Amino acid sequence: MSLLVVGLSHRSAPVSVLERAALSADAQIKLLQDTVAAEPAAEAAVLATCNRIELYADVDKFHAGVAELSTLLAQHSGVGLEELTPYLYVHYEDRAVHHFFSVACGLDSMVVGEGQILGQIKDALATAQELHTAGRLLNDLFQQALRVGKRAHSETGIDRAGQSLVTFGLEQLSSGAPADAWLKGKRALVIGAGSMSSLAAATLARAGVAELVVANRTFDRAERLAALLAEQYGQRPAEPDDVDVLARAVPMESVPDELTRADVVVSCTGATGLVLTADLVAEAVEGRTGAPAVERATGSDSVRSGLPPTSVGSEDGCPLDLSAVQGSAAQGSAVQGSAVQGASGFSVMGEAAVAGMDAATLEQHAAWVDNGTVDRREGRRTPEIDTEAVAALAAAAATLGRVPERRRPEPVAEVPRPLPVLSLLDLAMPRDIDAAVHRLLGVRLVDIESLAEASADAPMAADVDQVRRIVSDEVAAFDAAQRAAHITPTVVALRAMAADVVASEIARLDGRLPGLDDKQRGEITQTVRRVVDKLLHAPTVRVKQLAAEPGGAGYADALRTLFDLDAETVAAVSRADDDSRDHNSAALGGLDFGRENFDSNNFESAENRGRA
């Protein structure tokens, strides 16, 4: 069996595709169940965040595994396979391990170095363990990834390379100003009570917002989060720099009322539809900017009026009855934009002038227009051609690939807009807030799509190289451990067979020498066992060492062949080992991460969450 990952992320797919492919909690459960039920996969786990969807599986066939996992992702995400395929990436065996460890360290995150991915990996493992879709391989992989991520944060300065998505989003809302200074004293509303919303609430509280309101569909969860925030940040300040935050919970039905009072809103729910529509936001900011919350103009809405009349000149001698034509044009609805105000403003070359005329009249009109045109052009002279200027212009065009423009463009007058009175941060996937609200006066919206664009130019810290070295070392160590573990059931089966041989021979000896007393029988038994152990010790230790090296997978097959070990016996040992692992995980409740940490960095350090 081998590790395979199929997925898509902000690096491979546009946000619009990620948004449509987002998996609900129920869809993730069904995807895991269907994956392990499929023929190529024996284990499965799903890592679904706001900017990635990845399906991990232990498969016995690469091509069949890729086809099956891709089909299942498309099926449960609701995006057609043909549309989804161009955005999918595939990693196999060592490359899959390397990719996952990089993800755990924050190297593959939208904001490099953010630590909240560790909590999301922990949740993914807990779900797989609860559904019994994670076996030995994925349990080892996910637990090792958590250790690697913690090591990267504790041994390097990767935290300086980036920050949490929440902090990054708030800095985008503040237009580059320090987020803490910008948030201090503001009224904040957090919609949702999950891990990302909890992180946002803690970040806002630490920044010193005056009031923090938590809204959630399950009111009990909102109350628990608000109570925890009130306990941690709601006490009276003992020092001048301490914060004193009023935290309270409200049901989702109260969100429209809270919007009218909030300065900052952070939304991250698991809803499949919009939580905040453009109309709801417009009503909330109505009157707060001193003007209606109308949509910003996206182009020039002004209508050009007062244009001069278009005419060939004097209408003297025109064969048409202008008064009749003008009257019919004024009554007809087929000609738009023609306001007939008098003979002097009427265009005898326009469509309205010739509409409905017979052929003879039209011919007379055409001849009259031609004569008028010739008359108007008399006296105009053609400027002399400057051949040198034309040659210089042609040379410049050939060199530059374009005709040089000497005129400077006129500056575009910007329409003054009021400063935002409501700042919205949408961290949900699919989105919680209607994208149309960015056109409302007095409203600023930052969502996953705009964060992806802003983070593309974020600087990389020097510590990233050190983290990459850690990832490479840990991948090598994990591969060696897996290869060694692969041969362990064979070694155990070999020793079990040797123990059976010893027991059989001692029983045979008892039959041939029934007069042996217990002391003599014990000495003989102990001697035979020591002989067998010494004979097997060096080969089994050496075969484990060799199996841990690259290309060592064949040593297990060699042992089974040399000692004629029963394949079912080896498989039984493997199953017993897996059952023991599952029992230990269940007894410990999975990984012992302790109490939920609501620190603004959401970094689950070894000190406050224990070793996996």
Side-chain angles (χ1 to χ4, degrees), residues 374-388:
V374 172
D375 292 341
R376 287 189 298 110
R377 291 187 178 180
E378 288 180 357
R380 299 179 63 186
R381 61 186 179 88
T382 304
E384 296 181 0
I385 299 176
D386 188 344
T387 56
E388 293 183 359

Side-chain angles (χ1 to χ4, degrees), residues 62 71 307 410 470:
F62 172 73
T71 301
L307 296 177
E410 297 181 0
I470 290 176

